[in-house]
């Protein structure tokens, strides 16, 4: 399977490409993870505005905005921060 970097470099299946892809796009330090966290931070105020904290539902937020399950703790923390203001 070709990776993003293999299309750029013109190589296909090089182990270096796989390691590069893994380092850049997986885990909490990944570009994708950080982008998803940023998106959650932007969406929380829109979801929570004019809503009492008792009515806020993390699962509903995640379903409405198609947030991946692995970000559930981020969603909970951002909701807490929003209402702590």
């Amino acid at each position: 399977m070709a990776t993003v970097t293999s299309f750029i470099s013109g190589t296909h299946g090089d182990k270096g490409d796989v390691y590069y892809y893994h380092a850049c796009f997986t885990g909490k330090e990944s570009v994708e993870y950080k982008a998803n966290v940023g998106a959650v931070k932007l969406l929380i105020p829109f979801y929570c505005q004019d809503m009492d904290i008792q009515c806020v539902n993390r699962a509903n937020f995640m379903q409405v905005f198609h947030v991946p399950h692995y970000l559930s703790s981020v969603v909970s923390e951002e909701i807490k921060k929003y209402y702590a203001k």
Side-chain angles (χ1 to χ4, degrees):
M1 174 181 254
T3 64
V4 173
T5 54
S6 68
F7 289 113
I8 294 169
S9 68
T11 62
H12 299 285
D14 184 354
K15 285 187 180 183
D17 292 343
V18 174
Y19 295 133
Y20 176 77
Y21 178 84
H22 183 73
C24 292
F25 297 102
T26 61
K28 288 190 174 186
E29 294 301 316
S30 73
V31 174
E32 183 178 1
Y33 179 84
K34 289 178 181 180
N36 286 338
V37 169
V40 167
K41 289 179 178 184
L42 289 172
L43 291 170
I44 290 290
F46 293 106
Y47 179 78
C48 294
Q49 71 184 8
D50 302 324
M51 191 181 297
D52 290 330
I53 193 168
Q54 295 85 2
C55 298
V56 174
N57 183 310
R58 177 187 71 189
N60 180 259
F61 173 87
M62 293 178 72
Q63 182 180 15
V64 167
F65 294 109
H66 303 281
V67 177
H69 176 71
Y70 68 87
L71 291 170
S72 62
S73 62
V74 172
V75 172
S76 294
E77 283 301 312
E78 291 304 316
I79 290 171
K80 287 178 191 175
K81 286 180 189 177
Y82 179 83
Y83 285 103
K85 294 179 185 178

